[in-house]
Amino acid sequence: MESNHTNLRIPGPTPVTPEILKEMSRFMINHRGDEFRQLIESVTERLKTIYETKQDLHILTASGTGAMETAIVNTLSPGDNVLAITIGAFGDRFANIAEIYGADVTILRSALGESTDPDKVTSVLNNNPNIKAVLVTHNETSTGVTNDIESIAKIVKQDFGKLLLVDGVSSVGSVPLKTDDWQCDAVASASQKGWMAPPGLAFLSFSLESWKANASSTMPNFYFDLRQYKKYMEIGQPPWTPNLSLFFALDKALDLMLREGISNIHLRHAKTAQKFRDGVQELGLKLLAKPESASDTITSVLLPDGIQAKDFLTIAKTEHNVELAGGQQSLASKIFRIGHLGLVSDEEITETLSAIKYSLEKLK
Ligand code: PMP
């Protein structure tokens, strides 16, 4: 691949094209001047288009975890009852952030590889009337499973009227997430995922409901105090010095994304994912996720018995220059993952599948 020496098939950072990378070498500008005001306003508007939101959206110089933390510390107070729906490592992280800031967290956990059964959300909310907010991962990167956020949101918002905070780090910009239509109150994402930019910027949409919750929220915050972001955005500035080079890169990436069109991007991700799922199954491998909840941005593949994850990943990298991801936590020795968010060419799909085939045969 021309833009990236290694065929980087991890779930972020995703490959960045030369034209986007080139933007990173631009001269610095005054982040409190007119030129940056135009840039931040235009980047924010285009992010909102892709997020499908007309409500607030703020850009943080942070990674996705920073946006998740921002969602929590700007809406909740210590002692608040929170439901954390988790289907893997990133759902656990969201729950953990809330716990560290003093929320009283009830966890609804699914088996690794499965998505959340919406009926279970109804039943936990029925049994816990004091719950104020629900945290949920849209696309669980550690297992390659996508939650049915539309159904979960309907329950959380329409049936129970709770605040809905969504980790959309590996979904927004790649697979459909209708922030306003589905009434998601805060949705976090990060530049190194489907946005095709390098890591370091995080995004957070923030609804009117979230602002209402903010008015009584007492969790401590400073760098991530969204009231500062809102106040400064009125004059086209962020409160703190932003990563300008990443703004330049993101500006270009958003141009490319909007030129392609959101529905075309979603379709492209669905087709690419299907090619990977078909391809690995043709090699005789089994997928961790069930077909109905398999992610269109990450594919988790079960390692055949006797194959060590580390050896397999090393051979694919050193002998085929294809970088795959291992499993996380208890899945570390059981699966490998293929990241396919952002740009993936047919040639890279073929190259990845041959690297997998070759590495498995070599280890047999
Ligand atoms: N949530 C999900 C679903 C993710 O995929 C990631 C990154 N892999 C994160 C949260 C954390 O994002 P970051 O590493 O950018 O902090």
Side-chain angles (χ1 to χ4, degrees):
M1 184 194 175
E2 145 193 33
S3 64
N4 218 290
H5 183 61
T6 300
N7 182 351
L8 197 59
R9 296 274 60 88
I10 59 172
T14 61
V16 178
T17 67
E19 62 184 325
I20 296 172
L21 267 185
K22 203 170 96 213
E23 297 297 317
M24 303 274 295
S25 62
R26 279 172 53 183
F27 288 113
M28 291 301 103
I29 57 173
N30 175 9
H31 66 294
R32 308 249 174 250
D34 249 8
E35 207 181 332
F36 188 71
R37 179 180 55 74
Q38 285 171 20
L39 179 60
I40 194 173
E41 286 176 356
S42 141
V43 165
T44 305
E45 273 318 301
R46 283 174 289 156
L47 282 171
K48 284 196 202 180
T49 303
I50 296 173
Y51 259 74
E52 301 189 49
T53 184
K54 293 201 165 22
Q55 307 203 49
D56 279 0
L57 183 144
H58 291 286
I59 305 170
L60 320 163
T61 290
S63 75
T65 306
M68 291 156 73
E69 182 163 333
T70 302
I72 288 171
V73 299
N74 282 276
T75 52
L76 303 175
S77 302
D80 275 352
N81 289 100
V82 171
L83 168 62
I85 299 174
T86 175
I87 58 170
F90 293 103
D92 291 351
R93 183 180 300 182
F94 216 0
N96 198 227
I97 298 170
E99 267 164 4
I100 279 173
Y101 279 99
D104 186 347
V105 180
T106 299
I107 295 200
L108 172 60
R109 190 186 298 283
S110 304
L112 293 178
E114 287 181 14
S115 62
T116 305
D117 173 358
D119 288 343
K120 290 198 175 145
V121 179
T122 301
S123 120
V124 179
L125 290 175
N126 265 329
N127 293 334
N128 297 273
N130 291 334
I131 283 172
K132 177 178 169 183
V134 176
L135 316 179
V136 64
T137 321
H138 184 197
N139 185 75
E140 179 49 72
T141 312
S142 67
T143 57
V145 172
T146 305
N147 261 328
D148 177 0
I149 288 289
E150 187 176 7
S151 301
I152 294 172
K154 229 178 242 160
I155 294 163
V156 172
K157 298 304 299 177
Q158 293 173 24
D159 300 348
F160 289 92
K162 312 289 184 187
L163 202 65
L164 178 62
L165 311 181
V166 180
D167 169 355
V169 172
S170 62
S171 64
V172 201
S174 305
V175 299
L177 196 165
K178 296 178 183 295
T179 303
D180 287 358
D181 281 1
W182 297 351
Q183 293 178 273
C184 301
D185 291 307
V187 179
S189 192
S191 54
Q192 81 277 19
K193 300 288 180 180
W195 307 94
M196 301 181 296
L201 291 180
F203 322 128
L204 187 71
S205 67
F206 211 67
S207 72
L208 270 178
E209 279 296 305
S210 287
W211 281 117
K212 274 189 208 152
N214 176 263
S216 58
S217 158
T218 60
M219 279 187 184
N221 55 54
F222 185 87
Y223 187 78
F224 291 135
D225 180 356
L226 265 195
R227 282 171 289 208
Q228 296 291 336
Y229 284 81
K230 189 174 177 62
K231 190 178 101 192
Y232 272 87
M233 199 52 197
E234 281 162 19
I235 52 165
Q237 292 178 20
W240 334 119
T241 314
N243 188 322
L244 291 171
S245 308
L246 289 175
F247 266 88
F248 298 150
L250 181 64
D251 184 30
K252 174 58 88 183
L254 289 172
D255 271 352
L256 299 178
M257 288 176 84
L258 288 173
R259 207 180 305 154
E260 182 176 1
I262 307 170
S263 47
N264 289 334
I265 292 175
H266 295 162
L267 198 63
R268 178 166 57 73
H269 277 82
K271 282 186 183 161
T272 300
Q274 195 58 52
K275 286 181 192 165
F276 274 117
R277 290 192 289 263
D278 291 346
V280 287
Q281 290 180 103
E282 276 159 23
L283 296 177
L285 297 168
K286 291 198 166 55
L287 304 176
L288 174 69
K290 297 195 175 75
E292 61 277 14
S293 57
S295 162
D296 281 343
T297 58
I298 294 113
T299 294
S300 290
V301 187
L302 295 167
L303 276 165
D305 283 346
I307 304 277
Q308 300 298 320
K310 192 165 164 283
D311 299 340
F312 169 74
L313 297 172
T314 305
I315 294 172
K317 173 78 193 290
T318 53
E319 299 192 33
H320 271 255
N321 210 15
V322 170
E323 180 125 24
L324 297 158
Q328 289 169 304
Q329 297 170 350
S330 63
L331 288 174
S333 59
K334 299 195 176 106
I335 62 166
F336 69 89
R337 294 172 301 148
I338 310 168
H340 37 81
L341 342 70
L343 281 182
V344 191
S345 65
D346 276 341
E347 190 192 344
E348 287 169 309
I349 299 177
T350 311
E351 198 175 80
T352 307
L353 292 168
S354 357
I356 294 170
K357 183 167 189 272
Y358 172 88
S359 311
L360 287 176
E361 278 170 3
K362 188 153 185 189
L363 286 170
K364 254 184 198 157

